[in-house]
Each structure stands twice: as C-alpha cells, then as structure tokens.
Amino acid sequence: MLLAAGAAGLLAAMAMVIVRAIIGPSHYDRILAVNSFGTKTVLLLSLVGFLFGRPAFLDIAIVYALINFVTTIALMKFFRYRSLAQPLGLSAGEEARDG
Amino acid sequence: MSFFLSHFNYIAVAILMMAGLFVLFSSGNLIKRMIGLAIFQTSTGLFYISLAKVFGGTAAIAVEPGSSEARELASRLDPAYVAQYGVDGVVYSNPLPHVLILTAIVVGVATLAVGLAIAVRVREAFGSVEADEIDVLSRVEATQPGPQA
Amino acid sequence: MTALPSSFDVTLALDIVLLVMLLVVAGAVARTRSLLAAIIMFSVYSLISAVWLVVMDAPDVAFTEAVVGAGVSTIILLGAILLTRGEAERPDWRRLIAPALACIAVGGLLVFAAIGLPGLGDAASPANAYVGRAYLEATPKDIGMPNVVTAVLSSYRSFDTLGETTVIFAAGVGVALMLGFGPRASLAPPSAVIGDHHVVPRVAAKLLIPLVALFAFYVQFHGDLGAGGGFQAGVIMAAAIILHALVFGLRETMAAIPPRVARSLASLGVLLYAGIGVICMMNGGGFLDYDYLFPPSVEQQIPGWLLGDSEHAHHWGQHFGIMLIELGVLLTVSATMVTIFYGFGGRTVEAARQEAKQ
Amino acid sequence: MTYLPGLILALAAFWFALSGETAPLFLMLGALSVLLTLWLVARLKIIDRDASPYHHAPNILVYGGWLLVEIVKANLAVIRRILGPTHAIDPVMVNVTTTARTNLGKALFANSITLTPGTVTVDVDGDRLKVHALVRETSTAQSFAPMDRKAASAADGRKS
Amino acid sequence: MIAFETLHAAPPALTAHAPLLMVVAPLIAACAAALAPSARVSWMISVTGSVFAAWMALAVAGEVARRGVVDYVIGGFAPPLGIALHIDGLGVMVALLVSSAGVMASLYSGHSLTTEVGAEKHTLVQSGFLLCQTGLLGLVATGDAFNAFVFLEVSSIGTYALVAIGEKRDRRALPAAFNYLIMGTIGATFYVIGIGFLYAATGTLNMADMAARLATLDDSSVVQAGFAFVVVGLGIKAAMFPLHGWLPGAYSYAPSLISIFLAATATKTSIYLMARFVFDVFPYGAAFGQAFVTWVLAPLAATGAIVCSLQAVFEKEIRRILAFSSVAQVGFILLGLSLATVGGASAGLFYLGAHALIKITLFMALGGVALSLGARRLGEFAGVAREAPWSATAFAIGAASLAGVPLTLGFLAKWRLIEAALQAGAIWVVVVLAIASLLTFLYVGRMLEAIFFRAAPAGAPRAREAPVGVLAPLWVLAGLNIWFGLDASLPEQLANSAARALLGAAP
Amino acid sequence: MTVDRLLDLAATINPGFYLIIAALPAAVARDAFTRAVALIGGPVLGLLAMLYPPVSGADVSRQLFLGFELSLYRSDSLSLIFGLGFVLAAVLGGIYSMHRRDRLQDAAGLVYAGAALGAIFAGDLITLVLFAELATLASALVVFAARTGPAYRAGLRFLTIQIIAGLLLTAGAALYGVEKGTFLIAELGGLWNGLIVGIIDPTSAGGMLILAGVGIKAAFPLVHNWLTDAYPNTTETGAVVLSPYTTTMAVYLLARFFAGYDPLIWIGAAMTIYPVFFAVMENDLRKVLAYSTNNQIGFMVCAVGIGSTLSINGAAAHAVAHIVFKGLLFMAMGAIQLRLGTTKASELGGLHRTMPWTALACLVGAASISALPFFAGYTSKTMIMTAAESGPGMFVVWLMLLFASAGVLEHSGIKIPFMAFFSHDSGKRPEEAPYNMLLAMGLSAGLCLIIGLYPGWFYQLLPFRDQAQEFLVQDLFSLSHILQQLQLLTFAVLAFMVLWWFGLYPPEKPGVILDVEWIWRKGAPMLGRALSKPARAGGRFVSVLTSSAIGGIQKASRQVFAADGLVSRKLPLSATAILALCILGVVMLFSMFR
Amino acid sequence: MDSVLSWIGGGFVVAGVALSLLGAIGVLRFPDFYTRIHAASITDTGGASLVLLGLCLIAGLTLTTLKLVFVWVFVMLTTPVAANALANAAFSSGHKPRIGTFQIVRTDERRKTPRGPDAP
C-alpha cells in the first residue's frame, strides 16, 4: 500500500515537473524539468517493479539513468557549441595521457 | 469497471493518433512534421500494447513454476482465474503484440532518421525547411533546364 | 468477467494517469512553436510511454522505447535542428480548420470503432486467447527460454526480425547516402586550444563509457532470460560510442571507429543473421530453423554443463541460433546508429562552416 | 598501469552483479564481454586514471559516507526554502579554488558541490570553480574548504 | 510460349527453398554490395543477386503451376505461430514482374549511376536498390500480415533516400522524397493500425488463418475499421487517386535507376497486397467489402484515370508526364479489379503487368537519353530522335504501347479491360476507359511530337545515344512490348491464373 | 511447283501488308531508285496479290486470336473495286510525290495506303479496326510531315478526332462482336444478291458506336471539320496522298455494314449540299477541294443509304472515280502549291501560260467532277442519280442531289480551273510542274477519260456486275441523262460567267429560266444564296460558340490540371494526407453505416 | 522480520517520494532557472536515495538489491554532471537570472570576451 502511495506521489511530482517543462519559460528550464523528470522516471520504474511483484526489470531503470545523461550532454553541446561534433574543450595538459 | 475505463486506452490512442497527424498537417516545418509523424507512429504501439494487457497478468518472461515469486504473483489473483488463463500457475500478458511493436518502434526510428536526413539536405539545397517556401522555390526550378551530364 | 484482481486497480490508475500525461505532452508538442521545446517534450513523451509500457507488462518494449525515444531519437532530432536552424512558423489558423475537422471526425470514428474492441485486460479476447496464449504455452518446450518475447521475436517470428534488422540497415544506408559523404576536412582539430571548462563531463564519460558498453553486452546476452536483446543492446552500445563522440569529439571517435568500418559492420550484421538462416537451410531445415543449426553429430557433443545442469535437454540449436542472430542484430543496430550519428554529427560542422563562408 | 586490473575487476564485478548467473556459458560470455569492452574502450582511447578510479574505491567510499551526511543537511536547508516564502532565497555566484590536482579530483569535488542541494558547480576552469549558491550567507569560498580537502585526498590518493 | 507446368528451372534442392531464396538473395546481395570495394564490383553483385532472385522466381512459378499454391514455413514453426511464405498464382505473377524488373534495372544501373550519382555513393545505391527489391519480393511472398508491413518498410526506407539522391540533378528530388516518406509512412502506419484491429478481432496474423476466422465472424465495427485502415493505407502506397500526391515527384526526380524500378514495381506490389486483402482475406461478399469496391474504389479509380491523364496532358516536364500517367494507369488497374469478376481481375492484373513493362521501357529509354541531355521539359527533347535514334525509337514503341496502339501489349491490355467491362455489363467503365485512352493519346502524342518532329533549336545541347549496356535491356523490353502485343499467351496465362487465385477457381 | 506454292502463299496475305512492308525501304532508302521501286512496287505487288488468284467471298487466312476466330484476308467484289481504287491512288500518289525526298511522308503514305487496303480486305471486325487505327496514325504522320506550325496543330486536331472515331469503332466492334459471338464478316450477315452487305444492325449499341465511328471517318455533317482542316495544311503532295483513303474507306465500311439504312440517305443528301456554300465562298482552292470531297462523299453515302444494287454499284464506282479525279485536282493544285507556295484564289490567275499541261489536267479533272458526259464522274454519278430518281418517295432527295451537282459544277468544275489558270492575270509565271507530277497527272487524266469513254470494263469490276452491265446498256448514255447533265452544265457556266462579269461572284442574280427544271435549278441556288448569309452568320456563331467553349474548357482545364494548376499545386503533402484521412473516414462510414 | 523490513522500506519510499514532491514544488515555485536547479537536486539526491534505500530494504539481500545500488550509483554519478552541464550551458550562453547577484567573474585571461570562438 505504501508503495502504491509512493507511486501516486511520484506521479504527482512528475505532473508538476511536466508543467514546468511546458511553461518553460526558457529552454534551460525545460531541460531541467526533463532531467528531473528522468530521475523521477527511474524511481518510478524501480518502484513499479516492486509494486507488480516483478522487481527484475531494474535494468530499464539503469538504462534510463545512463541514456538520460547522454541526452543531457547532447543538449548541452547544442547550446554551448551548436555542434555535436566538437570535442568538449581540452586543456593543453590533458593531451598527454598516462596510459 | 465501467465501459469508459475499460476503453479509455483506445480513446487515448485515438486522440494521440489524431494529435500526431494534426502536428503533421498543421505545421509546414519539416522537422515538426517528423515529430508529428513519430507521435503518430508511437500511438500505434500504444494501441497494440493495450490489446495485449491481461488482467493480473505479468510480463511474458516466465517465472520459475512453483517459485516464491510465482506463488506471490498467483496469490494476488482469484485461483479460478489463474487456473483458466494462467500458464503454469501464472497469468502472463500477451507477448505477441510486444514483439510486433518492437519491430514497429525500430521502423519508426529508421523512418525518423531518414526523414530528418532528407530534411537536412532540403535545408542545404533550398535554404529553408518550411514547406511553403520550398514550394515556391520548386516552382522556380520547374522553369529551368536541367544540368547536363 | 472473472473477479478483478485487486492489484488491477493500481494498474488501471497508473495506466490512466500516464495516458493523460501523454495526452498533455502531445498537446504541448502540437502547440509549441519552438522546435527545441517540441523535441524536449517529445523526449518526455518517450519517457512517459516507457513507464506506461512497463505498467502494461511490456518491459522489452519499454526498454526499446527508453533507449530509442529518449536517447537516439532526441539526439538525431537535435542534430537535425542544428542543421536546419529555425522555428516553426505559426500557420494561419484558417488553414488549420480542415485538418482539425478531419482529425476530429476520424478520431470520432475511431473511437466509435473501438467500442467493438474487447475491454482492457480481457484475457478471453481473441487477441489474447488464441496465438498469444499459444506462444506462452509452446515456448518452454519449443525453445526453452524464459523470455517469451525474445523467443517469439527471434525464433517464431525470426523472419520479421530479419526484416526489422534490414530496415535498420536500410536506414543506415539512407542516412549515409544523404549525409555521410561530405568533406571530412571539417573534422580537423580545432586550431586554438580553448579553455577547459568540461572536466566534469569528461571524467564522468570516461567512467561511464566502459560501464555502458558492458551493460550493453549484458543486455545482449541476457535477452533470453530477462528484458532486452540485440536491438536494445545495440542502441545502448551506440549510446556509449555517441557519448564518446559528444564528449571527446567526433574526430576522435571516427579515428577509433571509421565510418566505413561502421557501415561495413552494419551490413555484416545482416549477413550474419541471414547467414545463420542459410546454414540452417543447408543443414536440411527451413530458413532460420535453428533446430538444424548444428548437424546432429555436433549437437550431441555440446556439453550439458555449459548451462550448469546436464540433466535438462537443451535446445542447443535454438539457444545458439538466437544468440548468434541477436549478435547480428547488435552489430547492425549499433553500427547503424553510429553511422546515423556520424551523418548528423559530421554534418553539423560543415553546415556551420558553409554558413560562415556566406 | 595500476588502474587496469582495477578496471577489469570492476567490470567483472559489474557483470556478475547484473547477471547473477553461474552457468559456465554465462561466465564465458561475461569474460568475453569484459574483453570486448576493454578492446572497445582501448580503441576509443579513454583508458586512463580517470576512467578507472576503482583502486581508490575505499577512499572514495569513506568520502561518500561523509558526503551523504552533508547532502542530508543541505537537503533540509533547501526544503526549508522551498516551503518558506520566496524571498528567503538569496542566490549568489562564488568563486572557489580547489586543491585537487587530477581531473578526477576536480570532478569529484565539483560533483560533490552539485550533489549537495543549494550549490551547483557552474564552471570548472583549471583549479577555479564557479559555484552558484542558493543562500548567500552559508556559501563563502571558505565554506567549501573541508569538502575540497576531503575530495581531493580521496580522489588523488594522498593524505591532506 | 512457356508451359509453366513443365518448368523445372532450378535443381530440386534449390526449388524447395526457392520462395525464400527469392527474397533473401537480394538481401544478401545488398549486404555484399555495401561491402564491395568498388562500384564495378557492387554492380556485378547487384546483377548477380537480381538474376538469382529472378531465377528463383521462375522456379517458384513452376512449382505454383504444378501445385497451385506454394507454402514455405520459416523457422520450422507452422503458422499461425510462425511465419510462412504463401505464393499463389497472383503472387507468382507479381514476383516475376518485380524480379525481372530488378534484373533489367540492375543491368541498366551499370551505366546510369556513373553519371547520376557521386562515385562514392555507388555501392550504397546498389545496396539500397537491392534492399528495395528484397522488400518488394518479401511483400509479395509473405503470408503474414505483419510481415508484409515489415517488408513494405524495408522497401520504402531505402527508397526514400534513393529518391532523394536525385538531388544531384534536380534539387526538387529532396522535398519530393520527403513527401514520399511522410505519405509512405502514414500509409504504412495506417496499415499497421488496420492489422491491429484485425488482430484484435481474430487473434492471428497469418493471412489465410485470418481469412478463415474472419469468415466465421460477424462484421463488427472492429473488422470494418481494420478493413478501412488496411485499404486506405495500401491505397496511399499504391498511389490510388487522390492519395497519389507523393508519386509524381518521387518518380520524376529520382535517379533514373530508381524511377525505372519504382515505376514498374512499387505501386504494383501495393495493389497486389490490397487485392489480397479485399478479395482474399476479407470474406468477399461481406457487405462492407462490396460497398467499398462499388462506391469508393471504382469511382476513385475512374476519376483518377481521367484527372491524372488530364494532368499529364497539361504537364510540361516529360518525366512528370509519365508519372501522372502512372497514377492514371493505376486507376485503370483498379477499375479492372473493381469489376470483381474473374475476367475483370484478370484484365486488371494483365494491365498491371503490361503497364509495368511499358513504364519500365519508357523510363529506361528516357533515362538513357535524358542523362546526356540534362533535359526536363518537353521542349528540351526537341530533335532527340535525330541524335539518339535507337533510344527514341524504343521510347516510341513504349509510348505506342502506352497509348494502346494495336499490335502492342498496351492495346491488348486495354482491349481486355474493355472486354471484361462489357462482359460485366459496366458500360460506364468502357466510357471512362475510352476517355482516358483518348487523353493518353494526347499526351503520348505530345511527347512523340517533341522527340521526333521538332527540330532542336540551334545551340541546344546535343543528346548522345545511350551506350550498348543500356540499349540492350531497353530493346529487349521494347521487343517484349511488341512480342506480347502479338502473342500474349504468356502474360495471359499468368494473369488468368492470378485472377483465379484471387477470386476462386470459378472460370 | 514451288513457285506456285510460294505464289499461293503470297496470295493468302492481305494485300495491305505488301504496302506496309514496302514502307520500310521507303523509310530508309536514300537513293531515288529504291524509293521509286518501293513506292511503285509496293502497290503493284498489292495489286497482284489482290488479283491472284482471284478468290472471292472467301476468308483466306483464318486465325484464332483471343479466343475468337479472325480472318486477316477476305476478298469479294466489293472489296476488290475499292482495293483497286486504293492501289491506283497509291501508285499515282507515289509517282506524284517522287520529286520530294521526304522519307517520313513516303513511308507514312505507304503505310496509310496499306492499312486502308488492309482494312478493306479484312475478314473480321478486329482486323478491320486494327488496320483502321494504323491508317489513322499513318495519316496523322502524313499531316505532320508538312512540319509547319499550322500543320502540326491541324495534325493534332486531326489525330484527336480520328482517334475518337477509332475508339468508337473499336468499342463498337468489340461490343457487337461479343454480342454476336463472332467477329467474322462472313458470319455476321448473309448474302444479299450474292454479296455480304448491310450486315450490322445499326440499332444495337455496338452498331450505333460503329456507325458513329465510321460516320466521323466519313466526315458526316458536323463532324466534317477534320477533313477541311487537315487537307489544306499538308504539303503539296500530302493532300494527294491523304485524300483517297480515309473517307473512301468509310464509304466502303458504310456499304459493307449499313447498306440500305435509310437515315444515311438524308445524311448523305445533307452532306452533298452544305459544303457547296462553303466551297463557293472559300478562297483557298485546296480547301475548296476538301469541301468538294465532302460533297462527293455525300453522294456515295446517300447511294449507300438507298441500298439498291444500282446505288451500291454507283457508290463503289463513284468512289473509285472520285479517287482518280479528286486526286487529279489535288495534284494540279499541288503543282501550283509547289511552284507558288499558295493556292489562294485571290493570288492566282493566268497560270495557263506557263503551266499548260497542268491546266489541261485540271480541266480534265474538273470535267470529271462535274460529271460531264464521257468523263469519269459521269459514268459513276449518273448511276447514283438514277438510283435516287427511281426510288419511291425520293423526289426531294433527288432534287437535293441535283442542286448539289450544280454546286459541284459551280465550285469545282468551274471555279477551280478558272480561278487558278485563267481569270485575271496575276502576273505570276511559274515553271511547269516537275515531270513526275505531270506523269501522274497525265495518268490520272487518262484514267478519267478511259473510264468515261469505255465504261464497260469499269462496270465489269463493280460489285453487282450484271446490274451494272444492264445499266450501261440501257441508261448510261440515254439522251435524257446526257441532256440533263449538259443543261446543268450550261446553266452553271452561264451563271458563273454572268456573275463574274458583274463582279458579283458569288452571284446575286439568277440566270436564264428555261423550264420547270431550270426554275428549280435557278430557285435552289437562289434559295441557297438567300440562306447563305444567315447560314454563314449562324455558322460563324456556332463556330465562335464552339471555339470559345472549347477554348474556355481548355483554359479552365489548364488552370486546373497544369503543373502549377489547381490540382497539382493545391495538392501538397498536407492536403494529400488530409485527403487520406477523409477517405479513411469515408471508407469507415461506408463500411459501418451503409 | 520480512514484513517489518517491508514496512520500514515502505516508509523510506514514502519519505523519498515526499522529498521528490518537494523538489517538484520547488521546481515550480522558484523564480528562475538557476534557483530551480537547486530544487531539482533535491529529487536527485535525497528523493532518489531514500526511495532506493527503501526498495533495498524491501528486496532484502538479493541480486535485486545490487541492481538497486547500481541504479543509485548511476543516478548519483550522472545527475550532478547533467546539472553542471546544464548550468554551464546556461551560464556560458549568457542566460540571465531573475534574482540575486550574478557576478560573472571572469578571471580567466584566455576568455576576454563573453563569446569566444567556441560560443555560437
């Protein structure tokens, strides 16, 4: 029952974040909201597994956490460099790798 | 359970489909159109998956018969129901539509990629991704001779 | 109708709430003029539908939707709007009347048609009672693996999956044809070293890429036990490589995995898949009939302990056949996704350069 | 090259934790996967110390424990402001200098700052960090010093 | 004349797997072509793959003639669990059509690609072309409704990009390809939705099984919605008037290799699938099926035949003329099918094959010449006959056939349609056919007049005769137009058995 | 032995094929000799095939085709006489156009003649229709061969209407044959006086379609424009090549299919009359000849409609005679066209000084067409007039034909030679026509005279030989007929001269009144002239109306269908998609709420 | 024992969800982007940790627990990086905050102008 309540709460939180994503006002707000939404999704996915008695689907949650990250980096590069190909800035010292 | 609730999924799917198509129709922007198309395609998936859901079913990944997990799952349901619709004491949802929709999602992303690639080339060739402007430019093109090999 | 299971209330509640959210988000996509906002909302759409899919007992599909919808699609869309630049123009409202009316009318008809559909969760509906149930019953003895979805996907309906892999390959060919042949000079290293403001993402990426890659392999090889499979693994693998490209630059990634190699790998994957089918055929079975993957003499020599217990009769052909074709799928999907990213990512610079010239 | 065994071990552990299968076939597949992963990562040229902090794992775990406490404290502080009136927040941007030398140390420090609600690392440039803080009074350059010290020592593997 | 019953084209070991090899051979060739080191090698692979597929199609034709229907179970699981290929007389006809068009187009591609597409793209273009062929053959062969969707998409996805690379010659190829993609995807998605409804009603995806179960069902709104979605979705793919908006652009701006292949096959396979659904899967005689055929399909086909012919008459660009003509001819084919008699279906299918042959001839002849000329509009083709007499003559033969000049295949096709319409008592169909044929004469006349009777303006670029590599397949095709016009027993045999397969054994 | 068998074999081939085959060398040959051989040899071969061995009323080569029995070659006396005419025309046309090195026109002309010949000798409806279609295409090519703008446009119009005719014919033939279960001419109808004529029931649907198609080809009133439109726009030799076949073939078809169908009488009579007005007023002499063709075909149609043995004999004889003398006239005009580049009456005159032979040939042609006794026209036309006279209740028809005869005299018999060669001197002194033209004209003129002077052998060839002989003996040179004809001639010449002197041509005042006949002959032209003004106005009104309607339709359809037109432009992606949605809705509605 | 742990776990879950809700409220309420980041990080840290901890307790000592730990680790690893990247993007492209001082202290000599060669 507690888990169900938890799921309901998460849904409510997601709804609020969606409102932020829709009203913006800036794109950064939207991305922030999506990011936060992603974390909540990960939590909800974990929770739903327990709720339905099949907790084995945590893989999806893991994948979400990872993919969300990639997307956010891509968005950052979108704003920062207007390019997906550009490397994130390198300092001179880093060219020498210790490997 | 009321009729509305049991068919809510289909209504939602219908609305989503139309929303996708509406995005497609209403916008002259090629990228936006692709987004609309993607929504439209995804809604198909929702439709299939809704068909596949079974009361009290669980994902179609077999639970070891007789394991605690299986017992736990069965305990949530009416034994008669499990006996009638279950397989080895567990009720599963229908796996077939899932398989189909996996394929459909893949097709969707393939379409999206190719469509966007074409849209990018349109932008490079015409300097615009607005359908109206492209139309105008195309009509100019029609009056010019082709390139010679 | 049989007595409702108590947990179904929760399912239904989740179902409806998530669908309403989907509707809201779809409305937001339709409404917004900003393409970026539309893309962001579209990724939210994918997230919600993935959760919904889990609620609907479709973890495999959710997996795919998660990696594709929130990951690849969004990145491709971003690449596209980088290359096209622009906001959607607000269309004249009078031009929206006809589409709106058509949509509403057909939507109404659709709803009307849906009245005839069996209600949600009806175990006795034709869809669920006939072939769907037959798969659940037949899989243990035909294939011998827990994940029925994988069994159906890669054995019963393996021809579909071959087609699906081919579609992906075709998409790779298409994108390569469209975007993949620009001059590569633009990928030369940036002339001036620019400030280092990105230690954090770089370190995180270095840490994560091996884990993501390994996770992809895990998803690949456990597709018959749990949710996942070649397609999901392929996209995750591609995500790892895309992450590398995003953080360390496309040039670095292309040096490690040249575009031509990526394209070749994509076609090799399909070849592997089709080749397995042909091998089955040459061994006397039908196309993709994995039971004939090994000649009987070979199959008898496969030691039972490979799967931990020697007393069970294993469907070795099915096991290895599925594993191999999933490998083909992995190859094709990851290589194609990388090709597609190369196409969009590699183009970015060129478009920007062209614009700078003008 | 001390980090390579660490990386292999970590990957193997990760695989096994995910899989949990003991059948020889799956173990073989696991080994194969780890090898393939290593090969891929080597091709991508990202195997270096940053990619494999696993030999620092004990230090980092200890640091993690300390950080958790900080996070809880910070959480409470921010929740107060969420629930309270809006004017209670007083954002500020502060410059923080880190003593960490390696990239890993810098990243760990920057992430720790971001993880504690109320402060977000906006930019890392050399050893200077720009931090956006929700509350002015508790966020001075000095207030980050303990975290910096601990993070640097945990990641760089030296005593402070 | 070939008696298919006695045709043992391939050794038994291959024949047993022929239905499948027909589909998979181009697929494997596609992968190999993508891997090929040079354009030349990929071209050879392409030809080999296409020829092999055509060979297998012939082998299947023999089997079908002997056994009526060929079923091939894939993966060792019989339907409805597994997927099976199911080829009957109709399927064989379309498969032969597609595979032989593939052979012709691949032969042709050796020359055309070098001038139309950047050198670095050749291997991928060949690969995409073979994928397209795979998709179409798979679509024809499969007996599974969803599998058909997958192959529909296999053929489409590659095609979109292939159409778009026509941009090198004409940038309008890009928006055309985009529109094609959007419409094609909408069509395919409609189809999937329709299949979803049908699946909800029957619980199976195998077409034969579906038909058997549909026959026992009352027609509920679910079945009807499924029918509507399937038919309209395929109607878009088949460029049924007025859903043809995507076609003219896609056909006219694509590289000639692609227009040749598409014009001959793409819409045909969709029509094939549509026919299978309308007549085979759904219990024909179900009132909604008949209502569709009588009140939607036939009127739309008739309108399309006339309107699009008119558009062709007023069009200035020669390839667009042919494209509009294609839509009009789709109307002819559908009119034949909509008669819903064996004679009508046979005539419609005969027309389908005839039109494929005609259009491939025309597009190939045009491709050979237009390549060197870079011409688009009618006027620019002035005097081409003088410079490239062989191509021009082949074009004239194809055009005559299109117009339905006696002693050509096109005439027989029109003749059979009229005959069937008369037998079915549908005089209005005859009237429509007459009007549309007249319009056909007009636009064919315009084209021929430009090519043959107008002198090239001074200083205009001079056309070069196409090389032998193009002329050889071209003249084979042109010769077939005449040959079948004199002795049509072979296509007739195919069309008749196809029509019987579609509408039951009644003669 | 073997030669015999080869000959037998060759004789089973439809003679039309020889001409069509000959078109091939004609199309490629560059040297004059080969061309000559092809142009003359083809028709001659055809002629030989036609005559050897004389098979009559038999289907020579039967084939199974599409499940129907077809006959590629069937010959009887009706086909033979028409075929003879065609072969003559082909030979003469070949000789006539020898100077002109136009391979397209030569080849097309041969194909045209061959196809027409083939149609005449076709043994079934299908073969017939096929040959007719081929003839249509070839004839269009002949028009196009002029390679001028007006010719191109005229050719397109010509092609359009001919194809409509062809389609009607095709559809009708298909309908009729399917209905009757056979396409064979021999099986469609029985013998009538030893000949298969009037075999198609014009009241059936198929029959109506066929009649409509043939009617267009015969240039029935209101659908005659193609003729007067196309002929004058051809090359100087094109009209000669063009004129013999299509309309004559139509007459043959009418005779074969619809002999004795009463409405044809009235149609024919109308056809004889109305072109007179136009011809009289027309300035372009070749156009005058085109109108006159129309008028002459009217005689034949009328005769076919009467449907007695005499009248059918008359129609056939007149058809052949018409081929010869109209060809001759066109040749003469062609020579002028060649030398001066125009045939406008207003720009000609006084040409007899330098073109005496042409003038002479033209006079012979004019005499023939005017049915001057002892010229070809008289031999044939008298038969028709007699047939019309003798029928019950045919008085009005006879009067109409009489009036038309006067008209013919007026415009073809007098106006053409007078305006071209005599009249006031235009000052032009063109060279005499080339030798090949003169030869062709000479041969034609000779033929006219031979037929006129020795009609016996000609009558031997007619479909109903015995009746023809009877007519020859009893009627042809009877005083009343000769007198009647001479009266007519005198009247016309007088009228023409009077009017000419008063500078009032077309004349306003009648000439001499002699008797009742003369009253009629005077009154009718008066009436005609009185009517001609409103008729002209009406005609103009109608033509303006039709042309503006056609123009309007064309404009409107261009706006709708052209590349940037309504349909194409307004059918972009989203519209198509919405349409898809709408059709989806419609289909669903139909299936759910039908 | 099991059920007690479940209840405790459930409690943690609810508490974590409550934190997430609070974070969401903050994301809605806070006045500008930079302050909202702080609110969002509540969900990322406190909320996620508590929920996952609760689930761990429910799961007991199984493989699932390990996976939950992995989820947690990944969340902890990725969210701060994402937040940092986002803030960095906003900051470097000159997105202005609505309240508070926003000292753009540029001590870096290599970046004299706010829009360097790497800026759009």
Side-chain angles (χ1 to χ4, degrees), chain C residues 302-309 314 316 320, chain D residues 22-28:
Chain C
I302 299 173
W305 49 258
L306 267 183
L307 277 176
D309 44 3
H314 289 296
W316 288 117
F320 280 96
Chain D
T22 51
L25 182 65
F26 282 97
L27 291 180
M28 281 153 67

Side-chain angles (χ1 to χ4, degrees), chain F residues 30-95:
Chain F
R30 285 168 194 277
D31 63 313
F33 180 72
T34 320
R35 284 181 63 235
V37 168
L39 283 179
I40 315 292
V44 168
L45 269 180
L47 180 67
L48 292 177
M50 225 159 79
L51 302 175
Y52 173 95
V55 276
S56 189
D59 290 322
V60 181
S61 66
R62 284 199 181 192
Q63 314 255 329
L64 263 182
F65 188 73
L66 296 174
F68 287 107
E69 208 172 1
L70 301 188
S71 161
L72 289 181
Y73 182 21
R74 181 181 178 283
S75 170
D76 62 13
S77 54
L78 184 63
S79 353
L80 210 60
I81 178 78
F82 278 91
L84 197 66
F86 283 0
V87 172
L88 278 177
V91 172
L92 293 173
I95 295 172

Side-chain angles (χ1 to χ4, degrees), chain F residues 198-328:
Chain F
I199 52 177
I200 285 184
D201 172 14
T203 54
S204 69
M208 274 184 222
L209 285 176
I210 296 180
L211 183 58
V214 175
I216 294 176
K217 286 196 181 293
F220 277 7
L222 303 182
V223 287
H224 65 282
N225 299 53
W226 62 265
L227 196 153
T228 50
D229 188 25
Y231 285 16
N233 277 313
T234 55
T235 61
E236 76 273 3
T237 60
V240 178
V241 178
L242 207 56
S243 73
Y245 308 112
T246 301
T247 46
T248 318
M249 183 173 80
V251 171
Y252 163 80
L253 294 180
L254 286 174
R256 181 69 85 189
F257 294 158
F258 303 108
Y261 181 49
D262 287 343
L264 288 181
I265 302 175
W266 297 99
I267 294 173
M271 263 177 93
T272 56
I273 290 182
Y274 76 88
V276 169
F277 304 116
F278 297 102
V280 166
M281 286 174 288
E282 182 54 53
N283 190 22
D284 185 340
L285 295 182
R286 292 210 292 173
K287 202 155 190 173
V288 172
L289 286 180
Y291 276 117
S292 126
T293 303
N294 216 329
N295 151 299
Q296 297 293 319
I297 299 295
F299 280 99
M300 301 177 218
V301 171
C302 188
V304 167
I306 292 168
S308 63
T309 52
L310 183 61
S311 73
I312 289 177
N313 268 345
H318 199 55
V320 175
H322 175 244
I323 285 175
V324 177
F325 62 66
K326 186 54 62 60
L328 179 54

Side-chain angles (χ1 to χ4, degrees), chain E residues 237-476:
Chain E
K237 283 272 183 188
M240 183 173 87
F241 181 85
L243 310 178
H244 64 280
W246 56 268
L247 186 140
Y251 280 16
S252 31
Y253 308 135
S256 57
L257 161 67
I258 303 308
S259 353
I260 284 170
F261 188 62
L262 281 191
T265 56
T267 54
K268 312 292 180 296
T269 46
S270 299
I271 292 174
Y272 155 81
L273 197 58
M274 191 200 269
R276 268 186 84 170
F277 268 96
V278 171
F279 295 109
D280 248 12
V281 174
F282 289 94
Y284 187 74
F288 60 87
Q290 273 175 353
F292 168 74
V293 168
T294 324
W295 295 110
V296 181
L297 186 63
L300 283 184
T303 324
I306 291 175
V307 169
C308 291
S309 298
L310 273 170
Q311 281 182 289
V313 168
F314 287 104
E315 182 55 60
K316 288 195 177 65
E317 287 176 63
I318 201 160
R319 299 225 291 187
R320 285 179 70 89
I321 294 181
L322 293 183
F324 275 119
S325 145
S326 280
V327 184
Q329 315 291 317
V330 166
F332 279 42
I333 298 168
L334 291 179
L335 265 181
L337 287 174
S338 72
L339 293 173
T341 60
V342 172
S346 168
L349 294 170
F350 187 90
Y351 204 97
L352 185 148
H355 175 238
L357 183 60
I358 293 167
K359 273 290 148 63
I360 195 173
T361 315
L362 288 174
F363 269 109
M364 197 181 277
L366 208 57
V369 176
L371 274 188
S372 60
L373 196 60
R376 292 172 187 165
R377 280 169 301 150
L378 270 182
E380 298 169 273
F381 282 85
V384 160
R386 209 148 303 155
E387 255 98 57
W390 290 99
S391 303
T393 313
F395 184 85
I397 292 173
S401 197
L402 179 66
V405 172
L407 301 182
T408 59
L409 178 58
F411 170 76
L412 278 187
K414 284 210 172 83
W415 168 259
R416 286 175 57 102
L417 266 183
I418 290 175
E419 194 184 51
L422 287 175
Q423 274 169 1
I427 296 296
W428 70 272
V429 171
V430 180
V431 174
V432 169
L433 287 175
I435 295 173
S437 306
L438 173 71
L439 294 169
T440 313
F441 262 101
L442 281 182
Y443 62 75
V444 162
R446 286 184 65 214
M447 291 192 288
L448 289 185
E449 182 264 331
I451 291 177
F452 281 89
F453 298 124
R454 250 188 251 170
R462 294 171 68 81
R464 281 194 306 274
E465 181 58 280
V468 181
V470 172
L471 283 181
L474 176 58
W475 272 91
V476 169

Side-chain angles (χ1 to χ4, degrees), chain D residues 53-111:
Chain D
Y54 304 104
H55 54 290
H56 300 309
N59 291 342
I60 292 177
L61 277 182
V62 171
Y63 172 72
W66 177 82
L67 185 64
L68 270 181
V69 179
E70 291 293 308
I71 289 175
V72 170
K73 282 195 272 183
N75 258 308
L76 293 174
V78 175
I79 287 170
R80 266 210 309 281
R81 275 160 183 84
I82 289 175
L83 294 175
T86 322
H87 53 77
I89 45 178
D90 182 16
V92 72
M93 187 80 86
V94 287
N95 270 337
V96 178
T97 313
T98 174
T99 56
R101 286 200 313 264
T102 60
N103 282 334
L104 182 64
K106 287 175 197 166
L108 185 61
F109 177 49
N111 270 359

